[in-house]
Structure formats: structure tokens, C-alpha cells
Amino acid sequence: MSLSNIWVVVEPSSGTLTSTSLELLTHARTFGATVSAITWGANSAALAAVAGEFGASTLYDVGDLAGALPGAPVASAICALIATSGAPDALLIPTSYDGRDIAGRLSARLDRPVLTNVTGLSDDAGLVTEHPVFGGTQIVKARFTGEGPGIIVVRAKSFVAESSGGAPASVTSISAGDLGTTGGATIVTSHVEERTGPKLEDAAVVVSGGRGLGDAANYALIESAAKLLNGAAGASRAIVDAGWVPYSHQVGQTGKTVKPTVYIACGISGATQHMVGMKGSKNIIAINKDADAPIFQIADLGIVGDVHKVLPALIEKLTARG
Amino acid sequence: MNVVVCVKQIPDPAAPQSLEAGTHNLDRSGKLILDEADTYGVEMALQLVDKAGTGEVTVVSMGSASDLAGVRNALAMGAAKAIIVADDSLRGTDALGTAKVLAAAIRRVNPDLVIAATESSDGYTGTTPVQVAELLGLPSITFAKSISVDGSTVKVNRQTESGYDEVTSPMPVLVTVTAGVVEPRYASFKGIMAAKSKPIEQLTVADLNLDGQVGPSGARQSIIAVEAAEARQGGEIVVDDGQGADRIMQFLDSIKVL
């Protein structure tokens, strides 16, 4: 099967497209196919410029969703588009809250399977997907065997976004149509939690804390070390679940994927759930009192010690450096 | 108010995991437990029914019926009854096939609210609940941090990249919950004893008229290889005797982060 037509769902965010969307557009270009993008929101002209710059020739725009969660209306619009203009050879969707909703809805409506948590995608007489399993120690390779389009949900940072220098994509409006009973979920208000410093997924340095910190108040140590290193503060799922820090700090399978220059794991044992989100870091430093903690197996520098002693000492030395 | 909670019995995540040779299915031959991710949904459902003062919680599951400890755990927490779809032909069923099975089982209960985890802890495909919602013609709200019910409307605080959104939907609706939405209770001795006599309805694929849509052929995807990932080598290990922070500073200097 040759790939001639790839659709990428691209997510609007603060007037541009999310970085995962740009990564998918970039990778879609490598198959030599015509790349079209599908988005929503009230800002299609600006989004068309970005989508075009990263390789999309057409931007299908569902338009303003009037507060509706995107899953149902965007999936419905894509189904309508397939009905009128035929199915693409592949449909790529970013792993995100709304991306997973769109993928699930589309899969059920089209009666087509979905492959998720994809971190690699190549063409070997048809698309072959790669999925890390067991904390990323093994890679499963899979392919669709039935009629297309296969729905492929790709994790953040699986590919590197690169501009193609393309002209703005031409915008075509598409419509969600009648959603019946499926479209009832509506956003009433959005709350933005303030964060200072670089974004977790973009920071060159990430300092993360886990259960080994012992107490929610000790997360302040993570934040000061991160700040001194001009980095971002991350967290394991355990302390997010425990309510110590907001979910937006979570690194791992269900949280963010990070690939910083250096990742400093403090009091994190290294559950597979966590390792999947950070093992692509260039350098890993781990501080943990348990010498058998799995995190040490992937750490370039492992300090077996009490995080309550090592971290304050590190903060002192960083402060002294100014 | 009647609530269905989708639950999954999974191999104990603390035990070593492996894929079966040949099928590449997850080896589920060991002891199965209730996915911890599902305990939050069970607890949330129990609290909502309690607050409504009427109705009951039904747990719905797909998988092996040879070990029902996980489902019994949900009943011991306080769910009234369980439906489990167990059938040899279900081995190798994908997310959409699972959703078809769960949707067909849920239809028999006709609930006001369906709750599921955002994803299972063993397969973590993360699309099954929304596929269920679409098959049932329901709206859905994923990644709930909190749920409340006001008359026939559900109100959810839904996680977002930058914080959370307040989202409302008419019922019936499907909601997926994150860990931490509530603190799950431990089953009491009384609850464990009561669970032994609670009804567990066992259904087959034929009961749900889903022959041919489940199992490996229904999945329409195949695993073509399982390879070891490029191993990341561990490096230097230093036992801290007061020099740990210095060693970290040297390392940060060496990679020019400082």
C-alpha cells in the first residue's frame, strides 16, 4: 500500500497549534503523501499559516464549537468529510485529552480499530506502528490488517517538529452536523493554574519529586531546585494522586513526556508508569535512599542517599553559584 | 440514580509482566486483581448513589470468570451487583471490541451514569470508555477530577493542559475519572461477607450477539514483532556520605547545564 493521503488532527492552543500537532505534521510529510490537517476553534487564518508551515496543504476547520468538548463534534465532522471525499490512508491524532476523545469516537463511528501510545511510525508495505510496553523496556510493532483508515494516536515528542517553509494551508470549512445525544458535554468555565518558568515539556532541566519526599510541603525543595536551574518542576503519579501537586506536573504514561537535557528524579523509585515519560532524557540523575530502586538502572548518575539531605545541600550550592 | 462502573481485572502490576509467545497477548494466567484505577470510579459511584438516596451501583467487566476476586472486591466495597462477560473467544479482543462488549452489557442496565477509569493500568489504550459512549449514543466527559450531580445534570471538573474546565452534561452520560477523584474505601469485613451473596451475572459473547466482532479477527490489527528497546545503561552510583550534592554539581558542570 502506498500512502498518498494522510490526515492529521491538529489541536489549537493559545492561537497556534500544540507542539505534538506540529510533530505529527512533520512526520506525516516523510511518507511523501499529501498532508491535510483538521482543526477547530475560532482562529483558522492563524492556524492555517502554522499548519502550512509544517506541511499541510489543506486545513479542514470545524469552526467554533460554542463550548462543546471537541470529541463528539470533531469526530462527527471527520466522518462527514470521509463520507463526501473518501477516507485517507491514515489518520494521525495527538495523544492528549481531546485527541483521545476524538480517536475513540471516530473508531466507534467508523467501526475501525485504533492504535494508541504510538511512538514510532514507518511505512513497510503499509504503516507499522511502534508502542513501548513494560515501562519502555520492549517495543511492540503492529499494523492494521483490515480496511482503513487506521486511527493512530501518537505520543508527544515521538518526532521532532521541523518547518517545511510551506505557504499557509487553504482553509475548507467542515461541519459537525447533528450530534444527537452525544454532544451534550459543554464547558462552562476554564480555570488556568498559574505556572512560572519554562513549560514542563519544553524545559531543558526538569527536577521531579516523588513519594520519597515524604510530605507535600517538601515539594517546595523541588520547586526551588528547578527555579535555580531555570528548569521546570515535575512529579510522579504517586504524589499527584495523593493531591500534593496538580496533575499538570505529572511526568509519565498518563502525564507528560519530557526529554530535557537533564532530568533529576528526587525520591522517585522509577515505576514503569513514570519511566515511560522520562527515559528519553539526555541525562538522568536520581536521588533515592533505596539502592535497589529501578530508577538507578537508567540513571547516568545515581545518588543513594536521603533526598532531605542531598536536595537542600544541592540548593545551597546552586544558590552560591548565583 | 443507577450507576454502572466499568472495571477490569488485571494481572497484579507488582508481579513481573510478560507477553505470551505466539499471540503476543498479555499473560493473564496469574492471579487477577481489581485494577486500582477502577477503585476510584467504584467509590465515586457509591458516593453519588448514596447522596441521591436511591438507586444502585452495578459493576460491568469483561474478561476471565475463573478468578472473580477483583469483581468481588468491587462488590465488597458496596456495589450491588456485577455483570461479567467471560468467553474464551474474547482473548485478543482490542479496545473497540471491548467497548462493543461493555456497551452491550451496559445497555441491559440502562443506567443514568456510566463511570470508567481514564485508562486501564495493564493495556492503557485509553479510548475504550469513549468508544462505549459513542456506541451507546451518550455524551462523555473524560479526565474528571470531581463529579457532582444536580437533578438530571452532571457537573465535572475536567483536567486540562493548563488547569481544569468546569463541564456540564445532561444525563445519561459517561464520565472517566482520574486517580485521586476520591479516596477509595477499603472493603470492610461486613462488606466482604455481603459480597459473597451478591449476584454476579455471567454472559457470553453469543448472549450479546457479538459473534465475529471480538477476538483477534475482530481486532483487525496484528502485532508483527516484539523487540527489546534500546537499553539505557545505568551509570555511576554514589552512596551519599555528604558528597552527593557536590557530585551532582560536577555532573551538571560536565554537561554544561550550569
Side-chain angles (χ1 to χ4, degrees), chain B residues 28-50:
Chain B
R28 299 175 187 277
S29 58
K31 183 178 156 43
L32 300 175
I33 63 168
L34 179 64
D35 187 346
E36 195 218 344
D38 294 330
T39 61
Y40 302 96
V42 173
E43 178 64 40
M44 193 71 241
L46 291 170
Q47 290 187 16
L48 290 171
V49 166
D50 195 37

Side-chain angles (χ1 to χ4, degrees), chain A residues 140-232:
Chain A
V140 163
K141 290 189 173 177
R143 63 163 84 236
F144 294 111
T145 54
E147 198 184 331
I151 302 164
I152 298 167
V153 187
V154 185
R155 287 186 66 87
K157 293 197 161 38
S158 298
F159 312 111
V160 176
E162 278 168 32
S163 166
S164 69
S170 69
V171 178
T172 303
S173 289
I174 55 175
S175 167
D178 181 13
L179 300 174
T181 52
T182 62
T186 311
I187 300 169
V188 182
T189 20
S190 293
H191 297 260
V192 175
E193 284 155 4
E194 291 297 326
R195 281 192 75 141
T196 53
K199 284 172 75 177
L200 184 53
E201 54 271 48
D202 301 334
V205 178
V206 173
V207 186
S208 276
R211 188 72 86 173
L213 290 171
D215 187 273
N218 291 331
Y219 193 77
L221 295 172
I222 300 293
E223 287 174 321
S224 11
K227 195 170 175 201
L228 286 162
L229 287 161
N230 195 25

Side-chain angles (χ1 to χ4, degrees), chain A:
Chain A
M1 179 182 96
S2 75
L3 298 165
S4 57
N5 195 4
I6 297 178
W7 292 0
V8 182
V9 170
V10 295
E11 285 184 83
S13 170
S14 314
T16 182
L17 297 172
T18 63
S19 46
T20 315
S21 303
L22 305 183
E23 290 156 16
L24 295 196
L25 286 173
T26 303
H27 193 67
R29 293 196 322 253
T30 64
F31 299 110
T34 302
V35 179
S36 302
I38 298 155
T39 197
W40 61 94
N43 199 10
S44 59
L47 300 183
V50 183
E53 191 197 332
F54 285 84
S57 50
T58 303
L59 179 69
Y60 294 106
D61 177 25
V62 189
D64 186 18
L65 302 182
L69 288 182
V74 175
S76 175
I78 294 172
C79 288
L81 181 60
I82 288 174
T84 55
S85 62
D89 297 313
L91 192 50
L92 310 186
I93 302 179
T95 299
S96 67
Y97 303 106
D98 293 331
R100 299 208 308 188
D101 287 359
I102 294 165
R105 293 256 171 209
L106 263 181
S107 162
R109 283 186 71 125
L110 296 170
D111 193 25
R112 292 289 179 272
V114 58
L115 286 168
T116 67
N117 290 306
V118 172
T119 57
L121 190 61
S122 54
D123 183 9
D124 181 8
L127 281 174
V128 174
T129 54
E130 295 179 19
H131 312 249
V133 296
F134 306 139
T137 54
Q138 292 179 50
I139 304 288
V140 163
K141 290 189 173 177
R143 63 163 84 236
F144 294 111
T145 54
E147 198 184 331
I151 302 164
I152 298 167
V153 187
V154 185
R155 287 186 66 87
K157 293 197 161 38
S158 298
F159 312 111
V160 176
E162 278 168 32
S163 166
S164 69
S170 69
V171 178
T172 303
S173 289
I174 55 175
S175 167
D178 181 13
L179 300 174
T181 52
T182 62
T186 311
I187 300 169
V188 182
T189 20
S190 293
H191 297 260
V192 175
E193 284 155 4
E194 291 297 326
R195 281 192 75 141
T196 53
K199 284 172 75 177
L200 184 53
E201 54 271 48
D202 301 334
V205 178
V206 173
V207 186
S208 276
R211 188 72 86 173
L213 290 171
D215 187 273
N218 291 331
Y219 193 77
L221 295 172
I222 300 293
E223 287 174 321
S224 11
K227 195 170 175 201
L228 286 162
L229 287 161
N230 195 25
S236 71
R237 187 171 107 176
I239 70 167
V240 172
D241 287 357
W244 294 7
V245 287
Y247 177 81
S248 53
H249 290 62
Q250 186 172 318
V251 173
Q253 174 64 43
T254 33
K256 300 227 161 65
T257 302
V258 299
K259 291 189 176 178
T261 306
V262 61
Y263 187 89
I264 309 180
C266 308
I268 292 176
S269 62
T272 54
Q273 206 305 121
H274 187 73
M275 307 255 247
V276 162
M278 46 67 76
K279 70 183 288 189
S281 305
K282 279 202 195 72
N283 298 279
I284 297 171
I285 301 175
I287 309 167
N288 202 296
K289 65 176 192 296
D290 176 7
D292 295 326
I295 191 85
F296 287 130
Q297 291 164 17
I298 62 162
D300 300 286
L301 173 62
I303 306 291
V304 181
D306 185 350
V307 71
H308 303 101
K309 289 180 184 155
V310 179
L311 205 46
L314 180 64
I315 288 168
E316 195 176 303
K317 287 173 200 304
L318 289 169
T319 310
R321 286 278 187 109

Side-chain angles (χ1 to χ4, degrees), chain B residues 148-170:
Chain B
S148 60
V149 171
D150 182 5
S152 60
T153 301
V154 67
K155 295 183 178 178
V156 168
N157 286 350
R158 179 188 192 236
Q159 279 174 0
T160 62
E161 280 298 326
S162 52
Y164 67 94
D165 287 344
E166 289 177 42
V167 181
T168 64
S169 172

